[in-house]
């Protein structure tokens, strides 16, 4: 429940954008984000700024080209987003946060059971797919090619 104390604790008013990481959030994510390479040229941009830019794009649903100038270049941000996506880093971050939240709530890190409600599981409608035919007065179920009597040949 939101109280004045929790609203102040989770306030994001002092941040540049609401999607930016707080210091506490950054401390949690820092061990999961890639560090500077041991050899070669160091990173030009901090991972915190790249993460802030990625969260800005994902939360806002905007195009990469619309990133504000305060963030790293769009090509750099998209490159790191691709690296995070391809190495499953976003899933690893999500998993680590779920485990931390479960432990904070006093539960085991991994759930021991799951319940699926049949009304929330999407299935196909009964009767097969229906289509619209402008020449007919009502929508009807479309017959498959085999039902219409067509012959199919199999080529090896």
């Amino acid at each position: 429940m939101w109280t004045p104390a929790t609203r102040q604790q989770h306030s994001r008013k002092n941040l540049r954008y609401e999607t930016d990481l707080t210091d506490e959030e950054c401390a949690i994510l820092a061990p999961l984000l890639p560090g500077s390479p041991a050899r070669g040229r160091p990173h030009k941009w901090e991972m915190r700024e790249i993460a802030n830019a990625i969260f800005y794009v994902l939360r806002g649903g905007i195009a990469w080209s619309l990133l504000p100038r305060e963030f790293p270049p769009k090509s750099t941000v998209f490159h790191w987003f691709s690296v995070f996506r391809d190495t499953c880093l976003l899933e690893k971050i999500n998993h680590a946060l779920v485990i931390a939240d479960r432990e904070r709530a006093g539960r085991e890190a991994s759930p021991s059971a799951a319940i699926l409600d049949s009304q929330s599981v999407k299935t196909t409608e009964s009767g097969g797919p229906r289509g619209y035919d402008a020449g007919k007065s009502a929508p009807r179920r479309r017959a498959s090619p085999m039902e219409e009597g067509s012959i199919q040949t199999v080529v090896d």
Side-chain angles (χ1 to χ4, degrees):
M1 184 164 137
W2 287 102
T3 63
T6 56
R7 286 188 190 280
Q8 185 177 2
Q9 178 186 359
H10 296 287
S11 174
R12 305 187 80 77
K13 289 185 179 181
N14 296 335
L15 300 174
R16 178 181 52 183
Y17 295 105
E18 288 188 11
T19 55
D20 284 355
L21 294 171
T22 63
D23 292 336
E24 295 83 20
E25 293 166 343
C26 189
I28 293 169
L29 290 184
L32 301 171
L33 296 174
S36 292
R39 294 181 291 181
R41 185 175 59 170
H43 296 245
K44 183 176 180 180
W45 296 94
E46 290 184 30
M47 277 296 138
R48 180 176 183 166
E49 280 301 303
I50 291 172
N52 284 340
I54 290 172
F55 293 148
Y56 183 86
V57 169
L58 295 180
R59 178 67 176 103
I62 65 165
W64 294 103
S65 60
L66 297 177
L67 268 175
R69 297 199 187 280
E70 296 90 31
F71 288 121
K74 63 184 178 207
S75 58
T76 302
V77 175
F78 183 75
H79 165 75
W80 280 107
F81 171 75
S82 299
V83 169
F84 292 177
R85 180 195 60 207
D86 296 343
T87 60
C88 298
L89 182 63
L90 298 173
E91 287 85 356
K92 292 174 188 173
I93 290 172
N94 183 53
H95 184 67
L97 293 175
V98 167
I99 288 174
D101 187 52
R102 289 184 60 84
E103 289 174 347
R104 182 191 56 79
R107 296 189 259 163
E108 291 185 32
S110 297
S112 58
I115 298 173
L116 289 177
D117 180 9
S118 62
Q119 290 193 2
S120 61
V121 176
K122 300 292 183 195
T123 61
T124 60
E125 295 180 19
S126 61
R130 296 170 61 103
Y132 176 76
D133 187 356
K136 305 281 183 182
S137 60
R140 302 183 191 264
R141 185 178 162 273
R142 294 203 176 155
S144 70
M146 290 303 290
E147 291 177 25
E148 292 175 354
S150 65
I151 300 173
Q152 293 183 347
T153 58
V154 178
V155 180
D156 287 339

